[in-house]
Amino acid sequence: MHSHHHHHAYGPTETGTVVLDLGGDTGALIIYTGRELHGREIEISRVDGADAPRTHVAVRERIVQDGTFHSAVYPDLAAGLYTVWWDEDTPAGTVTVAGGTVAEFTWPTSAPSVAI
């Protein structure tokens, strides 16, 4: 599997530039990160399949009325439980996406410990 954990040089986005497709069995996910991840792609995958395909988006600077923050936004996800991947092999955590809502996940500040 090709790792998508590389960086891109994206400019900031402003209020109203991301459209979320919410409703029925479709929700959205926002992963909040620090600015040090700007441009990095973060992968997620459904938990309900061992070979579930991963999808990724890049962390972008978001400009809002009260300032700026950094996040990865997945605008239209099927409802379900998702793994957020720290790297190609290590999960950072899981998050539940419900239809018609926006789920939120805060990126860990250090690598998750892996049981040996």
Side-chain angles (χ1 to χ4, degrees), residues 46-108:
R46 296 270 309 225
V47 171
D48 59 1
D51 293 325
R54 295 183 184 187
T55 187
H56 63 276
V57 299
V59 173
R60 305 276 302 264
E61 179 181 21
R62 313 289 174 176
I63 299 172
V64 294
Q65 183 176 353
D66 297 333
T68 64
F69 64 96
H70 288 77
S71 67
V73 178
Y74 304 79
D76 57 349
L77 296 174
L81 184 62
Y82 287 82
T83 299
V84 177
W85 293 95
W86 177 269
D87 59 27
E88 196 167 322
D89 302 313
T90 311
T94 58
V95 61
T96 299
V97 174
T101 66
V102 178
E104 298 176 305
F105 181 88
T106 301
W107 188 256

Side-chain angles (χ1 to χ4, degrees), residues 20-39:
L20 304 179
D21 182 14
L22 305 175
D25 289 332
T26 301
L29 169 62
I30 299 174
I31 299 176
Y32 297 102
T33 71
R35 78 179 61 225
E36 69 278 0
L37 293 183
H38 184 201

Side-chain angles (χ1 to χ4, degrees), residues 5-23:
H5 296 285
H6 49 277
H7 292 267
H8 295 278
Y10 293 117
T13 61
E14 297 186 22
T15 302
T17 59
V18 177
V19 177
L20 304 179
D21 182 14
L22 305 175

